[in-house]
Coordinates of all heavy atoms in Angstrom, one line a residue:
M1 N -6.4 -11.5 -6.7 CA -7.6 -12.2 -6.8 C -8.6 -11.3 -6.0 O -8.2 -10.6 -5.0 CB -7.4 -13.5 -6.1 CG -8.6 -14.4 -6.2 SD -8.1 -16.2 -5.9 CE -7.8 -16.2 -4.1
Q2 N -9.9 -11.5 -6.3 CA -10.9 -10.8 -5.6 C -12.0 -11.7 -5.3 O -12.3 -12.6 -5.9 CB -11.5 -9.7 -6.5 CG -10.7 -8.4 -6.4 CD -10.8 -7.5 -7.6 OE1 -11.4 -7.9 -8.6 NE2 -10.1 -6.4 -7.7
I3 N -12.6 -11.3 -4.1 CA -13.8 -12.0 -3.6 C -15.1 -11.4 -3.8 O -15.1 -10.2 -3.5 CB -13.6 -12.3 -2.0 CG1 -12.3 -12.9 -1.7 CG2 -14.8 -13.0 -1.5 CD1 -12.1 -13.0 -0.1
L4 N -16.1 -12.1 -4.1 CA -17.4 -11.5 -4.2 C -18.3 -12.6 -3.6 O -18.2 -13.8 -4.1 CB -17.8 -11.4 -5.7 CG -19.3 -10.7 -5.8 CD1 -19.3 -9.3 -5.2 CD2 -19.8 -10.7 -7.2
V5 N -19.0 -12.3 -2.5 CA -19.7 -13.3 -1.8 C -21.3 -13.0 -2.2 O -21.7 -11.8 -2.1 CB -19.7 -13.3 -0.3 CG1 -20.6 -14.3 0.3 CG2 -18.2 -13.6 0.1
D6 N -22.0 -13.9 -2.8 CA -23.4 -13.8 -3.0 C -24.2 -14.0 -1.7 O -24.4 -15.0 -1.1 CB -23.8 -15.0 -4.0 CG -25.3 -14.8 -4.3 OD1 -26.1 -14.1 -3.7 OD2 -25.7 -15.5 -5.3
L7 N -24.4 -12.8 -1.1 CA -25.0 -12.7 0.2 C -26.4 -13.3 0.3 O -27.0 -13.6 1.4 CB -24.9 -11.4 0.9 CG -23.4 -10.9 1.1 CD1 -23.4 -9.4 1.5 CD2 -22.7 -11.7 2.1
A8 N -27.0 -13.3 -0.9 CA -28.5 -13.9 -0.9 C -28.4 -15.4 -0.8 O -29.2 -16.0 -0.3 CB -29.1 -13.5 -2.2
R9 N -27.1 -16.0 -1.2 CA -27.0 -17.3 -1.0 C -26.4 -17.8 0.4 O -26.7 -18.9 0.7 CB -26.1 -17.8 -2.1 CG -26.3 -19.1 -2.7 CD -25.2 -19.3 -3.7 NE -25.8 -19.4 -5.1 CZ -25.3 -20.1 -6.0 NH1 -24.2 -20.8 -5.8 NH2 -25.9 -20.0 -7.2
C10 N -25.6 -16.9 0.8 CA -24.8 -17.2 2.1 C -25.7 -17.6 3.2 O -26.8 -16.8 3.4 CB -24.0 -16.1 2.4 SG -23.2 -16.2 4.1
Q11 N -25.5 -18.7 3.8 CA -26.4 -19.1 4.9 C -25.7 -18.9 6.4 O -26.3 -19.3 7.4 CB -26.8 -20.5 4.8 CG -27.5 -20.9 3.5 CD -28.9 -20.3 3.5 OE1 -29.7 -20.3 4.5 NE2 -29.2 -19.6 2.4
G12 N -24.6 -18.3 6.3 CA -23.9 -18.0 7.6 C -23.4 -19.3 8.2 O -23.3 -19.5 9.5
Y13 N -22.9 -20.2 7.4 CA -22.3 -21.4 7.9 C -20.9 -21.3 8.5 O -20.4 -22.1 9.2 CB -22.2 -22.6 6.8 CG -23.6 -23.0 6.4 CD1 -24.0 -23.0 5.0 CD2 -24.5 -23.6 7.4 CE1 -25.2 -23.5 4.6 CE2 -25.8 -23.9 6.9 CZ -26.1 -24.0 5.6 OH -27.2 -24.4 5.2
A14 N -20.3 -20.2 8.2 CA -19.0 -19.8 8.8 C -17.8 -20.7 8.3 O -16.9 -20.7 8.9 CB -19.1 -19.6 10.2
Q15 N -18.1 -21.5 7.3 CA -16.9 -22.3 6.9 C -15.8 -21.5 6.4 O -14.6 -21.8 6.5 CB -17.4 -23.3 5.8 CG -18.4 -24.3 6.4 CD -17.8 -25.2 7.4 OE1 -16.6 -25.7 7.2 NE2 -18.6 -25.5 8.4
C16 N -16.1 -20.4 5.7 CA -15.1 -19.6 5.2 C -14.4 -18.8 6.2 O -13.2 -18.6 6.2 CB -15.8 -18.5 4.3 SG -17.1 -17.5 5.1
V17 N -15.1 -18.5 7.3 CA -14.4 -17.8 8.5 C -13.4 -18.8 9.1 O -12.3 -18.4 9.5 CB -15.5 -17.4 9.5 CG1 -14.8 -16.7 10.7 CG2 -16.5 -16.5 8.9
F18 N -13.8 -20.1 9.1 CA -12.9 -21.1 9.7 C -11.6 -21.2 8.9 O -10.5 -21.2 9.4 CB -13.6 -22.4 9.8 CG -12.8 -23.5 10.2 CD1 -12.4 -23.6 11.6 CD2 -12.4 -24.5 9.4 CE1 -11.6 -24.7 12.0 CE2 -11.5 -25.5 9.8 CZ -11.2 -25.6 11.2
H19 N -11.7 -21.1 7.6 CA -10.6 -21.4 6.8 C -9.8 -20.0 6.5 O -8.6 -20.1 6.3 CB -11.1 -21.9 5.3 CG -11.4 -23.4 5.4 ND1 -10.6 -24.4 5.5 CD2 -12.7 -23.9 5.5 CE1 -11.1 -25.5 5.5 NE2 -12.5 -25.3 5.6
A20 N -10.4 -19.0 6.4 CA -9.7 -17.8 6.3 C -10.1 -16.6 7.2 O -10.9 -15.6 6.7 CB -9.8 -17.3 4.8
P21 N -9.8 -16.8 8.4 CA -10.5 -15.8 9.4 C -9.9 -14.4 9.3 O -10.6 -13.5 9.7 CB -9.8 -16.4 10.7 CG -8.7 -17.3 10.4 CD -9.0 -17.8 9.0
E22 N -8.8 -14.3 8.5 CA -8.3 -12.8 8.3 C -9.2 -12.1 7.1 O -9.1 -11.0 6.9 CB -7.0 -12.8 7.9 CG -6.1 -13.5 9.0 CD -4.7 -13.0 9.0 OE1 -4.2 -12.2 8.4 OE2 -4.0 -13.6 9.9
M23 N -9.9 -12.9 6.3 CA -10.6 -12.4 5.2 C -12.1 -12.3 5.4 O -12.8 -11.4 4.9 CB -10.2 -13.2 3.9 CG -8.8 -13.4 3.6 SD -8.1 -11.7 3.3 CE -8.9 -11.2 1.8
F24 N -12.6 -13.3 6.2 CA -14.1 -13.4 6.4 C -14.4 -13.2 7.9 O -13.6 -13.6 8.8 CB -14.7 -14.7 6.0 CG -14.4 -14.9 4.5 CD1 -13.2 -15.7 4.1 CD2 -15.3 -14.6 3.6 CE1 -13.1 -16.0 2.7 CE2 -15.1 -14.8 2.2 CZ -14.0 -15.5 1.8
E25 N -15.5 -12.5 8.2 CA -15.8 -12.4 9.5 C -17.4 -12.4 9.7 O -18.0 -11.8 8.7 CB -15.4 -10.9 9.9 CG -14.8 -10.8 11.4 CD -14.5 -9.3 11.6 OE1 -13.8 -8.8 10.7 OE2 -14.9 -8.7 12.5
L26 N -17.8 -13.1 10.6 CA -19.3 -13.2 10.7 C -19.7 -12.3 11.9 O -19.2 -12.5 13.0 CB -19.6 -14.7 10.9 CG -21.0 -15.2 10.5 CD1 -21.3 -14.7 9.1 CD2 -21.1 -16.7 10.7
H27 N -20.7 -11.5 11.7 CA -21.2 -10.6 12.7 C -22.7 -11.1 13.0 O -23.6 -11.0 12.1 CB -21.3 -9.2 12.4 CG -20.0 -8.7 12.6 ND1 -19.7 -7.5 13.4 CD2 -18.6 -8.9 12.1 CE1 -18.3 -7.3 13.5 NE2 -17.8 -8.1 12.6
G28 N -23.0 -11.7 14.1 CA -24.3 -12.2 14.3 C -24.6 -13.5 13.5 O -23.6 -14.1 13.0
E29 N -25.8 -13.8 13.3 CA -26.1 -15.1 12.5 C -25.8 -15.1 11.1 O -25.2 -16.1 10.6 CB -27.5 -15.3 12.7 CG -28.0 -15.6 14.2 CD -28.0 -17.1 14.5 OE1 -28.6 -17.9 13.7 OE2 -27.3 -17.7 15.3
E30 N -26.1 -14.0 10.4 CA -25.9 -14.0 8.9 C -25.2 -12.9 8.4 O -25.2 -12.8 7.2 CB -27.4 -14.2 8.3 CG -27.9 -15.6 8.6 CD -29.2 -15.7 7.8 OE1 -29.6 -14.8 7.0 OE2 -29.9 -16.8 7.9
A31 N -24.7 -12.0 9.3 CA -24.0 -10.9 8.5 C -22.7 -11.1 8.3 O -21.7 -11.0 9.3 CB -24.2 -9.7 9.5
L32 N -22.3 -11.5 7.1 CA -20.9 -11.8 6.8 C -20.1 -10.6 6.2 O -20.6 -9.8 5.3 CB -20.9 -13.0 5.6 CG -19.4 -13.4 5.2 CD1 -18.9 -14.3 6.3 CD2 -19.6 -14.2 3.9
L33 N -19.0 -10.4 6.7 CA -18.2 -9.2 6.3 C -17.0 -9.9 5.7 O -16.5 -10.9 6.2 CB -17.7 -8.3 7.4 CG -18.9 -7.7 8.3 CD1 -18.2 -6.8 9.4 CD2 -19.7 -6.7 7.4
Y34 N -16.6 -9.3 4.6 CA -15.3 -9.9 4.0 C -14.5 -8.8 3.4 O -15.0 -7.6 3.0 CB -15.6 -10.9 3.1 CG -16.6 -10.6 1.8 CD1 -15.9 -10.3 0.6 CD2 -17.8 -10.3 2.0 CE1 -16.6 -9.9 -0.5 CE2 -18.6 -10.0 0.9 CZ -18.0 -9.7 -0.3 OH -18.8 -9.3 -1.3
H35 N -13.3 -9.1 3.2 CA -12.4 -8.2 2.4 C -12.2 -8.6 0.9 O -11.9 -9.7 0.7 CB -10.9 -8.2 3.0 CG -10.8 -7.9 4.4 ND1 -10.9 -6.5 4.9 CD2 -10.8 -8.7 5.6 CE1 -10.8 -6.6 6.2 NE2 -10.9 -7.7 6.6
P36 N -12.8 -7.9 0.0 CA -12.7 -8.1 -1.3 C -11.5 -8.3 -2.1 O -11.4 -9.2 -2.8 CB -13.6 -6.9 -2.0 CG -14.0 -6.0 -1.0 CD -13.2 -6.4 0.3
A37 N -10.5 -7.6 -1.7 CA -9.2 -7.8 -2.4 C -8.2 -8.8 -1.5 O -8.0 -8.6 -0.4 CB -8.5 -6.4 -2.4
V38 N -7.8 -9.8 -2.2 CA -7.1 -10.9 -1.6 C -5.6 -10.7 -1.7 O -5.1 -10.7 -2.9 CB -7.5 -12.2 -2.2 CG1 -6.7 -13.4 -1.4 CG2 -9.1 -12.4 -2.1
P39 N -4.9 -10.5 -0.6 CA -3.4 -10.3 -0.7 C -2.9 -11.8 -1.1 O -3.5 -12.8 -0.7 CB -3.0 -10.0 0.7 CG -4.1 -9.9 1.6 CD -5.4 -10.3 0.7
D40 N -1.8 -11.7 -1.8 CA -1.2 -13.0 -2.2 C -1.0 -14.1 -1.2 O -1.3 -15.2 -1.3 CB 0.2 -12.8 -2.9 CG 0.1 -12.2 -4.3 OD1 -1.1 -12.3 -4.8 OD2 1.1 -11.8 -4.9
E41 N -0.7 -13.7 0.1 CA -0.4 -14.7 1.1 C -1.7 -15.3 1.6 O -1.6 -16.2 2.4 CB 0.5 -14.0 2.3 CG -0.3 -12.9 3.1 CD 0.0 -11.5 2.5 OE1 0.3 -11.4 1.3 OE2 -0.3 -10.6 3.2
Q42 N -2.7 -14.7 1.3 CA -4.1 -15.2 1.7 C -4.8 -16.1 0.7 O -5.8 -16.7 0.9 CB -5.1 -14.1 2.1 CG -4.7 -13.4 3.4 CD -4.9 -14.2 4.6 OE1 -5.8 -15.0 4.7 NE2 -4.0 -14.1 5.7
R43 N -4.2 -16.1 -0.6 CA -4.8 -16.9 -1.7 C -5.2 -18.2 -1.4 O -6.3 -18.6 -1.7 CB -3.8 -17.0 -2.8 CG -3.9 -15.8 -3.8 CD -2.9 -16.1 -4.9 NE -3.4 -16.8 -5.9 CZ -4.1 -16.2 -7.1 NH1 -3.9 -14.9 -7.3 NH2 -4.6 -17.0 -7.9
E44 N -4.3 -19.0 -0.9 CA -4.5 -20.4 -0.5 C -5.7 -20.5 0.5 O -6.5 -21.5 0.2 CB -3.2 -21.1 0.0 CG -3.2 -22.5 -0.2 CD -3.3 -23.0 -1.6 OE1 -2.7 -22.4 -2.5 OE2 -4.0 -24.0 -1.8
R45 N -5.7 -19.8 1.5 CA -6.8 -19.9 2.5 C -8.1 -19.5 1.8 O -9.2 -20.1 2.1 CB -6.5 -18.9 3.6 CG -5.3 -19.4 4.5 CD -4.9 -18.4 5.6 NE -4.2 -18.9 6.4 CZ -4.5 -19.5 7.6 NH1 -5.8 -19.6 7.8 NH2 -3.7 -20.0 8.3
V46 N -8.1 -18.5 1.0 CA -9.4 -18.1 0.3 C -9.9 -19.2 -0.6 O -11.0 -19.5 -0.6 CB -9.2 -16.7 -0.4 CG1 -10.4 -16.4 -1.3 CG2 -8.9 -15.6 0.6
L47 N -8.9 -19.8 -1.4 CA -9.4 -21.0 -2.2 C -10.0 -22.1 -1.4 O -11.0 -22.6 -1.8 CB -8.1 -21.5 -3.0 CG -7.7 -20.5 -4.0 CD1 -6.3 -21.0 -4.5 CD2 -8.7 -20.3 -5.2
Q48 N -9.4 -22.4 -0.3 CA -10.0 -23.3 0.7 C -11.4 -22.9 1.2 O -12.3 -23.7 1.2 CB -9.1 -23.6 1.8 CG -7.8 -24.5 1.5 CD -6.8 -24.5 2.7 OE1 -7.1 -24.1 3.7 NE2 -5.6 -24.9 2.3
A49 N -11.4 -21.7 1.4 CA -12.7 -21.1 2.1 C -13.8 -21.2 1.0 O -15.0 -21.7 1.2 CB -12.5 -19.7 2.5
A50 N -13.6 -20.9 -0.2 CA -14.5 -20.9 -1.3 C -14.9 -22.4 -1.5 O -16.1 -22.7 -1.8 CB -13.9 -20.4 -2.6
A51 N -13.9 -23.4 -1.5 CA -14.3 -24.8 -1.7 C -15.0 -25.3 -0.7 O -15.8 -26.2 -0.8 CB -13.0 -25.5 -1.9
A52 N -14.9 -24.7 0.5 CA -15.5 -25.3 1.8 C -17.0 -24.7 2.0 O -17.8 -25.3 2.7 CB -14.8 -24.9 3.0
C53 N -17.3 -23.6 1.2 CA -18.7 -23.1 1.4 C -19.8 -24.1 0.9 O -19.7 -24.4 -0.2 CB -18.7 -21.7 0.7 SG -20.4 -21.1 0.7
P54 N -20.5 -24.5 1.8 CA -21.7 -25.5 1.4 C -22.6 -25.1 0.3 O -23.1 -25.9 -0.3 CB -22.4 -25.8 2.7 CG -21.6 -25.1 3.8 CD -20.7 -24.0 3.1
V55 N -22.7 -23.8 0.2 CA -23.6 -23.3 -0.8 C -23.0 -22.6 -1.9 O -23.7 -21.9 -2.8 CB -24.8 -22.4 -0.2 CG1 -25.6 -23.2 0.8 CG2 -24.1 -21.3 0.5
Q56 N -21.7 -22.7 -2.0 CA -20.9 -22.0 -3.2 C -21.3 -20.6 -3.3 O -21.5 -20.2 -4.4 CB -21.2 -22.8 -4.5 CG -20.4 -24.1 -4.7 CD -21.3 -25.2 -4.3 OE1 -22.4 -25.4 -4.7 NE2 -20.7 -26.2 -3.4
A57 N -21.3 -19.9 -2.3 CA -21.7 -18.5 -2.3 C -20.5 -17.6 -2.6 O -20.5 -16.4 -2.9 CB -22.3 -18.1 -0.9
I58 N -19.3 -18.2 -2.4 CA -18.0 -17.4 -2.7 C -17.5 -17.5 -4.0 O -17.2 -18.6 -4.6 CB -16.9 -17.9 -1.7 CG1 -17.4 -17.8 -0.3 CG2 -15.6 -17.1 -1.8 CD1 -16.5 -18.4 0.8
L59 N -17.5 -16.2 -4.7 CA -17.1 -16.3 -6.1 C -15.7 -15.6 -6.1 O -15.4 -14.7 -5.4 CB -18.0 -15.5 -7.0 CG -19.4 -15.9 -6.9 CD1 -20.4 -15.0 -7.6 CD2 -19.7 -17.4 -7.4
L60 N -14.8 -16.2 -6.9 CA -13.5 -15.6 -6.9 C -13.1 -15.2 -8.3 O -13.6 -15.8 -9.3 CB -12.3 -16.6 -6.5 CG -12.6 -17.2 -5.1 CD1 -11.6 -18.3 -4.8 CD2 -12.5 -16.1 -4.1
G61 N -12.4 -14.0 -8.4 CA -12.0 -13.6 -9.8 C -10.8 -13.0 -9.8 O -10.3 -12.4 -8.7
E62 N -10.1 -12.9 -10.9 CA -8.9 -12.0 -11.0 C -9.3 -10.6 -11.5 O -10.1 -10.6 -12.4 CB -8.0 -12.6 -12.0 CG -7.5 -14.1 -11.6 CD -6.6 -14.0 -10.4 OE1 -6.0 -12.9 -10.0 OE2 -6.5 -15.1 -9.7
G63 N -8.8 -9.7 -10.9 CA -9.1 -8.4 -11.2 C -8.6 -8.1 -12.7 O -7.6 -8.6 -13.1
V64 N -9.4 -7.4 -13.4 CA -9.1 -6.9 -14.7 C -8.1 -5.8 -14.7 O -8.4 -4.8 -14.1 CB -10.3 -6.7 -15.6 CG1 -9.9 -6.2 -17.0 CG2 -11.3 -7.7 -15.6
S65 N -6.8 -6.0 -15.3 CA -6.0 -4.9 -15.2 C -6.2 -4.0 -16.4 O -6.2 -4.3 -17.6 CB -4.6 -5.5 -15.3 OG -3.7 -4.5 -15.6
S66 N -6.4 -2.9 -15.9 CA -6.7 -1.8 -17.1 C -5.4 -1.1 -17.6 O -5.3 -0.5 -18.5 CB -7.6 -0.7 -16.6 OG -7.0 0.0 -15.5
G67 N -4.3 -1.4 -16.8 CA -3.0 -0.8 -17.1 C -3.0 0.7 -16.5 O -1.8 1.1 -16.4
A68 N -4.0 1.2 -16.1 CA -4.0 2.6 -15.4 C -3.8 2.5 -14.0 O -4.5 1.7 -13.3 CB -5.3 3.4 -15.8
R69 N -2.9 3.1 -13.5 CA -2.7 3.0 -12.0 C -2.7 4.4 -11.4 O -2.1 5.2 -12.0 CB -1.4 2.3 -11.7 CG -1.4 0.9 -12.0 CD -0.5 0.0 -11.1 NE -1.1 -1.3 -10.8 CZ -0.8 -2.1 -10.0 NH1 0.2 -1.7 -9.0 NH2 -1.3 -3.2 -9.8
Ligands
LIG1 S1 -19.1 -20.5 4.1 FE1 -20.5 -19.7 2.6 S2 -22.6 -19.9 3.6 FE2 -20.9 -20.0 5.1 S3 -20.7 -17.9 5.8 FE3 -19.2 -18.3 4.3 S4 -20.0 -17.7 2.4 FE4 -21.7 -17.8 3.9

């Protein structure tokens, strides 16, 4: 699973940081840092984080497998 945060929408509410502190980090008021690639063990937390975001700024997707590694 992959994370894409719409930073134009993100208001720095930090709900995502609260739910998945290993994936999201807030620097200052509005500078959100995040890890785009979600390890399996973080899936549940990331889903909760996305659901908790008050402005639905967190988009989740499954990576498209090209078969090439
Ligand atoms: S919960 Fe949403 S608005 Fe708040 S910091 Fe995370 S992405 Fe931004």
Side-chain angles (χ1 to χ4, degrees):
M1 191 161 71
Q2 274 154 1
I3 302 175
L4 181 69
V5 177
D6 183 346
L7 293 174
R9 212 184 250 211
C10 170
Q11 301 291 318
Y13 291 125
Q15 292 300 318
C16 55
V17 182
F18 176 75
H19 284 280
E22 305 204 3
M23 302 303 294
F24 299 93
E25 220 180 310
L26 207 52
H27 281 240
E29 291 269 305
E30 288 188 4
L32 181 73
L33 300 181
Y34 62 99
H35 300 280
V38 183
D40 280 350
E41 68 271 18
Q42 290 288 328
R43 269 183 88 99
E44 202 55 38
R45 287 173 170 272
V46 168
L47 289 173
Q48 287 174 7
C53 176
V55 293
Q56 282 93 49
I58 302 174
L59 308 173
L60 301 176
E62 296 295 341
V64 179
S65 169
S66 66
R69 290 209 149 197

